[in-house]
């Protein structure tokens, strides 16, 4: 396949991943605001989309981590990057179908690591960087966000315990609109950069950019636009899980969870840590649930989320590795991987239409039926 053509294919695939990242991670910023009624669903996703786009222009530190840190750019080809993206996209769509807020970031890292390992050997993966920049933040960030949110929630309820509850609710609804906006802005500074980093890596590996280069302006703009479009369409399945199924959320909790998550994400973007905003925001929501007296935290749902988190990187790596094995065999193999990826994505979408979740039904959660009376 013509080298310039495969670079175009990689750019398209990277933007497709960025699009899935957008609707997969909309819940991170807006699930609690939608659940409490602080923002109407359509307004929430539109606001989040605009701020994701704006956030993409604030920093490129995470993009540099990906384009020059996770894998050896001298041993990676555009075909390998394409295979890694296929692995990431498929895992994103599978977890979206199941309504599980898994990490788009780890899906991307897993796909790239698996494809690079198979194509160029284990020495082409910078495992020390993976541990430092990916695994340690993955373990620490939800705990930090959860503890901060727990303390903030406990403090908010202590401060407002003697105030009129209708005034408290109204005040924190306004606060939630602001804190959710901050999370969306922070999300753009972190997640949009991951696609920028992948495209920059493809340009470096093809010789179009010098090693160590940052993302060009057109890369920043296109990555920001793709994630904003995906955000606007709204990942309603995951929004429902995080907003309604994980814990009961009141407006003070939502404000505490969102503010805590935004602080952690912005700090990590500044330091160049490509952490998972899903892990951070989920940790914040769980922390807010534990911080409010008598709030129910549904640990069964939380457990399924943690399993999905643990499986994300290796599962995407396996798919990326298989895709790399086929696509590096020649042009026909690359085409086969592309066709298979599109077919799987279409199949997942068709399955999702059997039980759709929309802006109108996102706050509707089926409650378990009461037990049948026992005959005596």
């Amino acid at each position: 396949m013509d080298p310039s053509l495969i670079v175009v294919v990689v750019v398209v695939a990277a933007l497709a991943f960025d699009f899935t990242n957008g609707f997969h991670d909309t819940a991170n910023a807006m699930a609690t605001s939608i659940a409490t009624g602080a923002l109407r669903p359509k307004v929430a996703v539109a606001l989040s989309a605009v701020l994701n786009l704006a956030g993409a222009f604030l920093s490129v530190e995470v993009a540099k981590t990906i384009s020059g840190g996770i894998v050896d750019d001298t041993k990676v080809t555009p075909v390998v990057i394409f295979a890694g993206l296929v692995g990431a996209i498929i895992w994103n769509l599978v977890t979206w179908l199941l309504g599980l807020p898994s990490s788009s970031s780890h899906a991307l890292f897993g796909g790239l690591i698996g494809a690079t390992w198979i194509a160029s050997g284990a020495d082409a993966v910078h495992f020390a960087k993976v541990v430092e920049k990916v695994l340690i933040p993955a373990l620490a960030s939800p705990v930090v966000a959860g503890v901060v949110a727990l303390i903030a929630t406990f403090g908010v309820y202590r401060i407002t315990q003697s105030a009129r509850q209708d005034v408290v609710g109204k005040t924190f609804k306004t606060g939630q609109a602001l804190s959710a906006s901050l999370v969306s802005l922070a999300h753009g500074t972190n997640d949009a950069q991951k696609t920028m980093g992948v495209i920059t890596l493809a340009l470096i590996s093809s010789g179009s950019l010098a090693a160590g280069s940052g993302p060009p302006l057109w890369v920043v703009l296109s990555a920001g636009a793709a994630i904003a479009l995906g955000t606007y369409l709204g990942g309603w399945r995951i929004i429902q899980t995080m907003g309604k199924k994980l814990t009961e959320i009141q407006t003070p909790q939502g404000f505490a969870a969102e503010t805590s998550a935004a602080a952690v994400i912005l700090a990590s973007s500044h330091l160049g840590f490509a952490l998972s905003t899903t892990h951070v925001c989920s940790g914040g929501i769980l922390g807010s649930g534990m911080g409010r007296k008598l709030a129910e935290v549904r640990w069964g749902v939380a457990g399924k989320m943690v399993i999905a988190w643990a499986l994300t990187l290796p599962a995407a790596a396996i798919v990326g590795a298989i895709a790399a094995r086929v696509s590096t065999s020649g042009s026909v193999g690359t085409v086969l991987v592309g066709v298979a990826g599109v077919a799987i994505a279409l199949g997942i979408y068709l399955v999702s239409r059997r039980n759709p979740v929309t802006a109108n039904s996102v706050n509707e959660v089926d409650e378990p039926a009461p037990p049948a009376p026992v005959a005596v």
Side-chain angles (χ1 to χ4, degrees):
M1 185 177 288
D2 183 81
S4 59
L5 179 58
I6 188 58
V7 171
V8 172
V9 171
V10 170
V11 171
V12 172
L15 294 177
F17 166 78
D18 206 23
F19 175 81
T20 67
N21 191 350
F23 72 72
H24 200 280
D25 288 5
T26 310
N28 295 340
M30 293 299 173
T32 56
S33 294
I34 292 172
T36 62
L39 291 169
R40 296 195 304 274
K42 285 292 187 180
V43 172
V45 296
L47 178 62
S48 185
V50 171
L51 291 170
N52 265 327
L53 177 58
F57 290 88
L58 296 184
S59 171
V60 293
E61 293 304 315
V62 174
K64 291 178 180 177
T65 295
I66 294 173
S67 62
I70 301 300
V71 295
D72 187 343
D73 55 32
T74 65
K75 297 181 179 180
V76 175
T77 66
V79 171
V80 172
I81 297 171
F82 171 67
L85 285 167
V86 170
I89 291 169
I90 290 175
W91 182 254
N92 260 2
L93 292 175
V94 168
T95 51
W96 163 75
L97 178 65
L98 297 174
L100 292 174
S102 68
S103 170
S104 297
S105 308
H106 290 184
L108 177 59
F109 299 144
L112 286 176
I113 290 169
T116 302
W117 194 339
I118 287 295
S120 304
D123 60 339
V125 180
H126 297 158
F127 287 104
K129 282 287 186 181
V130 172
V131 172
E132 175 192 354
K133 295 288 189 178
V134 179
L135 296 183
I136 291 177
L139 295 174
S141 59
V143 175
V144 172
V147 170
V148 173
L150 187 154
I151 295 171
T153 302
F154 179 79
V156 163
Y157 278 102
R158 284 295 299 270
I159 293 169
T160 61
Q161 63 182 345
S162 60
R164 285 175 48 191
Q165 293 307 300
D166 59 330
V167 175
V168 171
K170 184 176 180 180
T171 301
F172 277 102
K173 276 190 176 183
T174 303
Q176 266 202 281
L178 296 175
S179 59
S181 298
L182 185 58
V183 175
S184 292
L185 189 68
H187 184 264
T189 67
N190 201 282
D191 278 45
Q193 287 189 60
K194 292 158 190 170
T195 298
M196 296 178 208
V198 170
I199 295 176
T200 302
L201 180 61
L203 295 173
I204 291 172
S205 67
S206 67
S208 301
L209 284 178
S213 297
L217 178 60
W218 71 266
V219 173
V220 176
L221 181 60
S222 59
I227 200 169
L229 180 60
T231 300
Y232 178 70
L233 292 181
W236 304 114
R237 291 173 179 273
I238 299 175
I239 290 174
Q240 186 181 71
T241 297
M242 291 183 71
K244 286 294 184 181
K245 295 182 178 181
L246 192 55
T247 185
E248 300 173 90
I249 298 176
Q250 296 179 351
T251 51
Q253 288 173 267
F255 176 78
E258 291 162 356
T259 304
S260 304
V264 173
I265 295 167
L266 288 170
S268 70
S269 295
H270 177 70
L271 296 172
F273 291 127
L275 54 70
S276 165
T277 54
T278 301
H279 291 188
V280 174
C281 294
S282 300
I285 292 172
L286 282 171
S288 71
M290 291 185 287
R292 179 169 73 87
K293 187 178 180 180
L294 302 180
E296 178 188 4
V297 177
R298 300 179 181 95
W299 293 107
V301 176
K304 292 178 182 178
M305 286 169 46
V306 171
I307 292 172
W309 293 356
L311 291 176
T312 292
L313 198 147
I318 291 171
V319 178
I322 295 171
R325 177 68 73 188
V326 176
S327 61
T328 54
S329 64
S331 298
V332 174
T334 303
V335 172
L336 285 175
V337 169
V339 170
V342 171
I344 292 171
L346 181 60
I348 291 172
Y349 172 75
L350 293 175
V351 171
S352 74
R353 302 317 300 160
R354 297 177 182 175
N355 183 29
V357 180
T358 67
N360 296 325
S361 63
V362 68
N363 282 335
E364 299 173 4
V365 178
D366 293 333
E367 298 293 339
V374 179
V376 293

